[in-house]
Amino acid sequence: MTYAFDPELAAVIPMLPNVDASDLDAVRASTESMLALIAPVGDPPVDVRDLEVPGPDGAPDVRLRIFSPRGRTEAPVPAIYDIHGGGFILGSVDIDDQANTRFCEELGVVVVSVEYRLAPEDPFPAGLEDCYAGLVWVRAHADELGIDAARIAVHGISAGGGLAAALALLCRDRGGPELVFQYLGVPEVDDRLATQSMTEFVDTPLWNRPNAIVSWDSYLGAGRRGGTGVSEYAAPARATDLRGLPPAYVSAMEFDPLRDESVAYALALVAAGVSVELHLFPGTFHGSGLVATAEVSKRESAEAVAVLRKALRL
């Protein structure tokens, strides 16, 4: 299929890796190699440390990476709780190091990135429960982390956006930590794979329908995708009551199979009385922000900082 990509993005597409989720070992190795290539050089401009905190009952501890501003005052600051992407099957906290360092430095906030168990080795609800356990620990230790517990936002891209949306639902329904905002970047929220964009975009860069099939089959278990009984905490698009959730920002990319489910989820939030900002970036594809020099990617990146600044009342 031919796509009207932004010219700056189109020029780089031939150099992007071929992500084939059906060969999981290979794509995980490729992801790690790519992260090594783009890893920042030298000391970060913020303080970074890793902690192991208690996981869900009967499960392993959860690793948190904490980014704290240098030269901070005694006054508590807001926090961003970051959940990395990777289709529920790839990645680690390392994926978001650059973005989280930038959020910490530019916004002067604490950023906590959570390492959660991946599918298919640990299918739903393992990853989500890890995210919840990590957030509960952060809220309980807000004072020692220098965090203003009344200003914690959740942030995630792709599968991380889906987990962020699910975490907001879980916090509401369990009476867990109160979130002030949910940043849902191109969120993966619908296992039914029936939207127009998901049906048509079978060969788009980095993410496409075949990869989405592997992602959901891994996360839910074979034979469950699209069927009855799939939890709304696995696929938030299935939620029938979105009332009382925190305000949201939702982004979508024009030639991304996740485009239509992202837009639909944003509209469902609006219909439930949740304040939402929705932005569809033209000429883009899933993960096109990796082409950081493109003008549309610069706008996307700048907007993320601006949106979080406003949401955290900075």
Side-chain angles (χ1 to χ4, degrees):
M1 184 171 174
T2 302
Y3 305 97
F5 292 126
D6 177 279
E8 288 184 287
L9 299 177
V12 180
I13 288 174
M15 293 177 275
L16 294 176
N18 176 35
V19 177
D20 179 3
S22 65
D23 189 346
L24 189 53
D25 288 340
V27 77
R28 282 177 173 173
S30 175
T31 300
E32 291 302 316
S33 297
M34 181 179 69
L35 286 174
L37 287 174
I38 64 174
V41 178
D43 292 333
V46 300
D47 295 327
V48 183
R49 60 189 173 120
D50 286 3
L51 293 177
E52 299 285 333
V53 305
D57 290 344
D61 287 348
V62 173
R63 177 186 174 204
L64 300 177
R65 179 164 294 170
I66 302 173
F67 302 77
S68 302
R70 286 187 181 154
R72 56 186 298 179
T73 65
E74 293 299 318
V77 298
I80 298 169
Y81 189 75
D82 174 66
I83 307 174
H84 72 79
F88 310 116
I89 58 177
L90 302 169
S92 68
V93 290
D94 298 340
I95 286 180
D96 290 341
D97 275 357
Q98 289 191 26
N100 289 336
T101 297
R102 179 173 176 241
F103 289 151
C104 179
E105 183 180 23
E106 293 192 18
L107 296 173
V109 301
V110 172
V111 182
V112 180
S113 189
V114 58
E115 181 91 353
Y116 55 88
R117 286 170 288 173
L118 300 176
E121 294 87 351
D122 293 289
F124 173 82
L128 177 60
E129 292 292 354
D130 288 349
C131 293
Y132 184 79
L135 180 62
V136 167
W137 187 91
V138 168
R139 175 61 182 83
H141 294 80
D143 287 345
E144 67 186 72
L145 294 172
I147 288 173
D148 178 355
R151 289 187 289 169
I152 300 176
V154 65
H155 171 277
I157 307 293
S158 189
L163 285 163
L167 184 61
L169 286 167
L170 207 58
C171 287
R172 179 197 66 179
D173 296 345
R174 288 183 178 175
E178 186 172 349
L179 297 168
V180 72
F181 192 73
Q182 48 181 331
Y183 185 105
L184 311 178
V186 294
E188 186 176 0
V189 292
D190 196 342
D191 67 295
R192 292 164 293 194
L193 309 186
T195 66
Q196 180 180 346
S197 61
M198 183 59 72
T199 301
E200 292 184 355
F201 298 162
V202 298
D203 58 354
T204 39
L206 298 180
W207 202 248
N208 47 51
R209 179 179 177 84
N211 285 341
I213 290 172
V214 174
S215 171
W216 282 108
D217 284 348
S218 299
Y219 190 48
L220 299 176
R224 298 197 62 205
R225 167 179 52 87
T228 59
V230 173
S231 170
E232 65 187 43
Y233 304 120
R238 289 179 174 260
T240 57
D241 182 5
L242 299 176
R243 293 173 295 178
L245 292 174
Y249 171 85
V250 182
S251 66
M253 304 299 138
E254 184 175 6
F255 301 112
D256 181 354
L258 301 179
R259 181 195 68 197
D260 294 348
E261 64 196 71
S262 300
V263 172
Y265 193 68
L267 295 178
L269 287 168
V270 171
V274 178
S275 179
V276 177
E277 181 172 352
L278 170 65
H279 192 151
L280 191 155
F281 290 89
T284 54
F285 52 86
H286 192 88
S288 58
L290 288 171
V291 188
T293 56
E295 187 272 339
V296 67
S297 299
K298 292 178 181 178
R299 286 196 289 118
E300 179 189 355
S301 179
E303 184 166 285
V305 172
V307 165
L308 289 166
R309 187 186 303 278
K310 180 179 179 182
L312 294 171
R313 304 190 300 275
L314 294 168

